[in-house]
Amino acid sequence: MRVSTGQLQQLMMNGFQRGAVDFANISQQMATGKKILKPSDDALGTVQLMALKKEQANIEQFNSNISNARRQLGSAETYISSMSDTLLKLRDLTLEAGNGAYGLSERQALAAEMQSLKDALMDTANAKGSNGKYLFSGSEVETAPISGPVAGAYSYAGDNLGRQISVSSGVQVTSNFDVEKVFFNGGDFFQELDDFIDVLNTQTGSVGNDVSNMLDSLDTSITGNLKLLTEVGSRINSLDKVENTNNDIELYGQTLQLELESLDYGQASMQLTQAELALQATQQVYIKVNQLNLFDQL
């Protein structure tokens, strides 16, 4: 088949354009240091990179969730510790109230201090986290957990459900707590405390039985509160371990990503030289074809 001059010129032009594209592509790879600039450069590598980047984004979100959960749990830990201190102080005052040598005035002084501690304890139980949500009402984070007194009784207005936060693939941590078992484990701690304070303010005789009952109630609450304190510590430790694992996975992914993306400059330099030579050769052939065409015209 005879090829016309026009067809030959078009073939030369196509070859010239392909050579220019190859040269530009390798030049851009060397400028960026990346061997994959578009999916056609390495289809399999592109898929692997997309999977790695998705995993990196997931880990970034998980670690952000861990930071939020740690902040939430840290606040809870502070308040639970405070409740523990208050309950222990109330226990000390209750024991002191059982001193048979105390008269009404001494008991009333103790009652005033216990009343102040009780108010502080309720405030702490109804504390909010940095996000403005109640810390100890289970999943009912918009509702104050302790309310009352109504007709002398207090009530728990939250629930016992946890709010789960994803901190790794398939791993969740509960970020909230409830204080129902601390203050309403078979009774009404605050009502019993109010009643005991009333006794100290008014009763002149023996208060031994009242002291014993109040100590039982306090011990139940102290035990429940210590369980919360242990639980919050356990959750924070879990977050630390999960975060370390996430960071290891992230580092491994970054290494793989670097290996997939990074350009072999030695190989790329050779390819650039070859592309440049091919481009120059095509240019020379194209010039000769045009000169031949001009000669034919003469």
Side-chain angles (χ1 to χ4, degrees):
M1 181 179 69
R2 182 178 181 184
V3 179
S4 68
T5 301
Q7 289 174 317
L8 190 57
Q9 286 178 323
Q10 186 59 50
L11 286 172
M12 292 298 101
M13 181 59 73
N14 291 343
F16 179 75
Q17 290 174 338
R18 284 196 298 272
V21 168
D22 289 343
F23 182 80
N25 189 50
I26 298 172
S27 297
Q28 189 176 2
Q29 286 177 331
M30 294 189 72
T32 60
K34 294 182 178 181
K35 63 184 177 184
I36 302 177
L37 300 175
K38 54 185 181 299
S40 59
D41 291 336
D42 183 349
L44 179 59
T46 298
V47 172
Q48 291 173 324
L49 274 177
M50 289 176 66
L52 284 171
K53 288 178 179 177
K54 182 180 179 183
E55 185 178 62
Q56 299 289 318
N58 288 339
I59 290 175
E60 186 176 346
Q61 182 60 56
F62 287 143
N63 282 345
S64 175
N65 292 347
I66 287 174
S67 296
N68 292 333
R70 185 181 285 118
R71 190 161 47 247
Q72 192 87 347
L73 293 176
S75 296
E77 185 178 35
T78 300
Y79 287 116
I80 294 171
S81 295
S82 176
M83 284 192 283
S84 181
D85 293 342
T86 303
L87 287 167
L88 289 173
K89 180 62 178 176
L90 283 168
R91 195 179 194 286
D92 290 343
L93 294 175
T94 300
L95 281 171
E96 188 176 349
N99 189 330
Y102 277 8
L104 184 59
S105 60
E106 287 89 353
R107 290 177 184 169
Q108 287 174 336
L110 291 175
E113 187 173 357
M114 293 183 80
Q115 178 65 48
S116 176
L117 289 171
K118 175 230 160 184
D119 293 340
L121 190 60
M122 275 199 66
D123 289 343
T124 307
N126 286 330
K128 295 179 178 179
S130 58
N131 59 0
K133 310 294 184 185
Y134 288 100
L135 289 168
F136 302 113
S137 55
S139 67
E140 298 291 335
V141 294
E142 303 291 345
T143 303
I146 309 294
S147 61
V150 176
Y154 295 80
S155 61
Y156 175 69
D159 60 25
N160 306 118
L161 303 176
R163 291 172 68 88
Q164 305 295 321
I165 295 179
S166 293
V167 295
S168 183
S169 181
V171 180
Q172 294 183 321
V173 168
T174 304
S175 65
N176 61 325
F177 297 87
D178 74 84
V179 290
E180 184 175 22
K181 290 182 179 176
V182 176
F183 299 116
F184 297 93
N185 192 7
D188 180 343
F189 171 80
F190 289 105
Q191 183 181 25
E192 291 165 9
L193 185 55
D194 281 348
D195 291 343
F196 185 68
I197 291 172
D198 284 342
V199 167
L200 297 183
N201 276 321
T202 59
Q203 191 164 322
T204 56
S206 171
V207 294
N209 288 335
D210 298 292
V211 168
S212 178
N213 291 335
M214 192 66 236
L215 286 175
D216 287 343
S217 180
L218 277 164
D219 287 344
T220 299
S221 292
I222 289 169
T223 299
N225 197 64
L226 284 176
K227 287 182 179 176
L228 281 187
L229 199 57
T230 301
E231 194 171 338
V232 71
S234 174
R235 292 184 198 175
I236 290 174
N237 288 338
S238 295
L239 287 180
D240 292 341
K241 291 177 182 175
V242 171
E243 188 177 41
N244 287 337
T245 301
N246 285 349
N247 290 338
D248 288 343
I249 294 173
E250 184 179 32
L251 181 60
Y252 180 67
Q254 288 172 344
T255 302
L256 287 179
Q257 185 175 337
L258 194 61
E259 290 177 356
L260 285 169
E261 284 184 324
S262 294
L263 184 69
D264 183 337
Y265 273 96
Q267 184 179 11
S269 180
M270 291 176 58
Q271 290 174 338
L272 184 67
T273 301
Q274 292 172 353
E276 186 176 14
L277 290 173
L279 188 61
Q280 290 172 350
T282 303
Q283 286 176 317
Q284 291 172 357
V285 171
Y286 183 74
I287 291 170
K288 287 183 179 179
V289 168
N290 279 340
Q291 288 174 341
L292 180 61
N293 181 43
L294 179 62
F295 178 76
D296 289 344
Q297 294 299 323
L298 295 174

